[in-house]
Amino acid sequence: MSFPGQTPFVIAIPDEQLSLLGKKLALITLPDEIDNASWDYGVPLADIKRLVHHWKNGFDWRKQEAALNAELPQFTRDIDIEGYGTLNIHYVHKKSEVTGAIPLLFVHGWPGSFIEVRKLLPLLIEASPDHPSFHVVAISLPGYGFSSAPSKKGFEITQYAEVAHKLMLALGYNEYVTQGGDWGYRITRKIAELYGPKHSKAWHTNFPLSGPPTTSRPLVWLGHALSGLPFLSYNKREKAGFERSAWFQRWGRGYFAEQSTCPQTLGYSLADSPVGLLAWIYEKLVEWTDGYKWDDDEGSVLSSTFEKLKLDWPAASVRIYYESSKAAGGKDLFSLDVHTKIPVGYSYFPKELLILPRSWTRVPNLVFEAEHEEGGHFAAYEKPELLAGDLRKMFGKGGGAFGVVKDKN
């Protein structure tokens, strides 16, 4: 089906850019490493040497490029953003064969991209009498992948939400549901705030967050205050969540401070050094997942492809941290208590970065919860079957969001 204003897109990185990348890889200078460093000091030198060797000698980008083009129907279109002019937006769009399929907007985060939907897509469009099917749109956020980047200051969560919403309307989806983690959580939450319930009918996240208990929720606050008592203490799963969250805040959040304060300074290194970018991203792919075994080709697709796909945008992709933090006025922009009115669903994975007690995150419009024994921050890529299953349950018959999109069930 053709949509007015939509241009088919095929990934075709110019030969000269790949040649330049090869030249840079041939001239790298690697740092020294302390004895027995392991992961205590960051990505081990042995890992980077192995990945770089494979990148130079074994990785076939054209093969990966062809696979992405074959698996992911891609398009671009111009979208006007209030106060920021027109941006050319890249996206994946795959319709189910099911007439009554539910339109779903998938929003990635950082350091992700539209590639995060790669494993999830075939599961969501699958036709079956046993579960709902979805028409899937996976946007490349402005400044990511093949979407153009804003050139004016102040482009923050509200504008990202506007882009995504206008994309869905342009595709004829006047009513739709959303799914996202990481920045996708913040953006889909903002979509729910701004465009629900008229257009955004329900949202699901694998990154459920909340601020700490306050007296505005007296029972939750009292429970937390008395949690030191044996019979009111947090359970084993919740204590493990506190430990994971504490680890992230103490040892894993340095990137956030840098990207939210000096994105341009960092951008010079990310733009000029493919190995620097590889290390910056690979660290997150390993430490933010639940022991996911990245093979070298896969690591190259999600890390070195980050370089290949973002040759023009390494600094732009991290500016979301600066602009959004500034707009939040010093408050924690992820844990701000903002309660949306449309149905929401949560999926919990044990190696997420911030894992809070369920009593903290539950809200009156929560209609679905699922607890999983495995999985981390990149749920759509690590555990696509589990995430797809949760969406099917939430929007299927008997689910809390069944029938939210008119005539799409």
Side-chain angles (χ1 to χ4, degrees), residues 354-365:
L354 297 170
I355 307 174
L356 305 176
R358 306 299 171 261
S359 61
W360 294 23
T361 57
R362 283 179 178 142
V363 290
N365 55 316

Side-chain angles (χ1 to χ4, degrees), residues 154-165:
F155 197 99
E156 46 95 16
I157 296 299
T158 300
Q159 284 69 46
Y160 286 98
E162 181 183 348
V163 172
H165 170 64

